[in-house]
Amino acid sequence: MHGLGNDFVVIDNRNSRIKNLKKLALKLCDRRFGIGADQLIILGSSKKADFRMGIINADGSEVEMCGNGIRCLAKYIWDNKLKVKSSSKKLSIETLAGIMYPEKSGSLIKVDMGEPVLEPDKIPVTIRLSTVIDHPLKVKDKTFRITCVSMGNPHAVIVVKNVDSAPVETIGHEIENHKLFPKRTNVEFIQILNRKNIKIRVWERGAGETMACGTGASAVAVAASLLGLADRKVTIHLKGGKLLIDWSKKDNHVYMTGPAVKVFDGVVNED
């Protein structure tokens, strides 16, 4: 499945039969010797919600949340008519970042991503400030100004004049693994088109540059608003397409709306 080109292998493991998920992710996500994907998405059972979502990066590391991935998992659940615990129109899906609530929005899927986290120790980022907004960060003799947000996972947002020429491949990895980020970080390079439209490129922690990132788009909307560069409701233009992000004034939650696509299904041998 994919959400704007951010692609996943989705596996139903509600019976918990598959044990070594890291090894499986390394095998299946390999684009030359496996199926090929940015991440392995695991559907599991939950005592707290309708279902549980596990997310393993292509490098075998586990992450807390994936915005494009949760839309794909919701579509998988609806397409396969899996039984839910509640009668609500919203699904409840347990993640390491908390319980998320996807719902249908026409042909798209809308997800309540929760409130953005701005406290450095909770993101986490080891900077002793109340918030990290437009903060200088020196990498390879160049200084970048970062705004840090967590949407259940850490993000460092950098405003550039031209995102197409931004040093995503060379600097993304350096910032991801910078000592300021004890759990590493996702990195977004963003170009403000106007107050309602932002163009971005994403370097995802554990996956490299991807076509799209739902939590990244959410973090970008929050960061751009905090910097006074954009409205709270914006369209995020990613390599793989568009996401609508609304940082609601009513409840301070971020709402992400976008597509999810099934590419194919099949059976994988265990050996």
Side-chain angles (χ1 to χ4, degrees):
M1 303 186 77
H2 78 86
L4 301 179
N6 189 192
D7 60 339
F8 314 98
V9 175
V10 181
I11 292 181
D12 187 343
N13 195 37
R14 286 175 293 164
N15 57 14
S16 300
R17 188 170 64 87
I18 303 170
K19 303 299 181 184
N20 196 337
L21 295 173
K22 176 179 178 179
K23 182 180 178 180
L24 186 64
L26 289 169
K27 177 183 178 181
L28 296 186
C29 293
D30 189 296
R31 296 192 183 278
R32 293 186 181 273
F33 296 101
I35 296 169
D38 292 322
Q39 292 166 321
L40 182 67
I41 301 293
I42 306 296
L43 175 66
S45 300
S46 172
K47 295 180 180 179
K48 302 177 181 178
D50 293 325
F51 302 97
R52 179 171 52 82
M53 175 184 181
I55 312 156
I56 313 293
N57 282 333
D59 69 353
S61 59
E62 186 172 14
V63 293
E64 305 89 344
M65 177 55 186
C66 176
N68 290 318
I70 201 167
R71 294 199 316 276
C72 288
L73 190 64
K75 177 176 173 57
Y76 177 91
I77 292 165
W78 287 320
D79 285 355
N80 289 280
K81 297 180 172 58
L82 302 186
K83 187 177 180 180
V84 298
K85 296 176 182 178
S86 65
S87 59
S88 171
K89 292 182 179 179
K90 295 183 181 180
L91 291 174
S92 60
I93 299 178
E94 179 187 357
T95 74
L96 291 178
I99 297 177
M100 303 295 164
Y101 299 94
E103 62 181 304
K104 294 179 182 179
S105 179
S107 61
L108 303 177
I109 298 172
K110 180 179 179 180
V111 183
D112 179 352
M113 302 289 285
E115 294 189 65
V117 175
L118 302 177
E119 297 92 332
D121 61 327
K122 294 180 181 179
I123 291 174
V125 52
T126 57
I127 296 176
R128 294 186 177 181
L129 295 169
S130 58
T131 56
V132 183
I133 300 174
D134 199 32
H135 186 81
L137 176 66
K138 192 173 182 179
V139 179
K140 285 190 172 181
D141 298 323
K142 292 185 179 181
T143 299
F144 299 88
R145 304 197 72 87
I146 59 171
T147 296
C148 296
V149 180
S150 172
M151 292 304 308
N153 56 357
H155 295 269
V157 179
I158 300 168
V159 180
V160 296
K161 290 183 179 179
N162 186 343
V163 77
D164 293 327
S165 60
V168 179
E169 300 91 342
T170 55
I171 299 299
H173 179 267
E174 297 292 329
I175 297 177
E176 174 195 348
N177 294 281
H178 196 279
K179 62 183 180 180
L180 284 179
F181 305 101
K183 292 186 177 181
R184 299 188 293 167
T185 189
N186 301 282
V187 188
E188 286 78 32
F189 294 83
I190 77 170
Q191 178 183 346
I192 306 296
L193 302 178
N194 53 53
R195 293 197 64 84
K196 296 185 181 298
N197 292 274
I198 304 171
K199 186 177 181 180
I200 80 171
R201 289 173 65 188
V202 183
W203 179 272
E204 285 201 55
R205 177 182 55 167
E209 185 173 10
T210 58
M211 298 289 286
C213 177
T215 56
S218 301
V220 163
V222 172
S225 178
L226 291 173
L227 290 167
L229 300 174
D231 296 341
R232 293 173 71 105
K233 188 173 184 178
V234 294
T235 298
I236 304 295
H237 301 257
L238 304 113
K239 275 192 168 185
K242 301 175 184 178
L243 287 173
L244 176 63
I245 307 295
D246 183 6
W247 184 16
S248 174
K249 287 185 177 181
K250 291 182 179 180
D251 57 9
N252 202 43
H253 285 216
V254 177
Y255 294 88
M256 171 196 65
T257 303
V261 177
K262 173 185 171 182
V263 181
F264 66 89
D265 57 20
V267 177
V268 178
N269 294 328
E270 289 189 63
D271 55 353

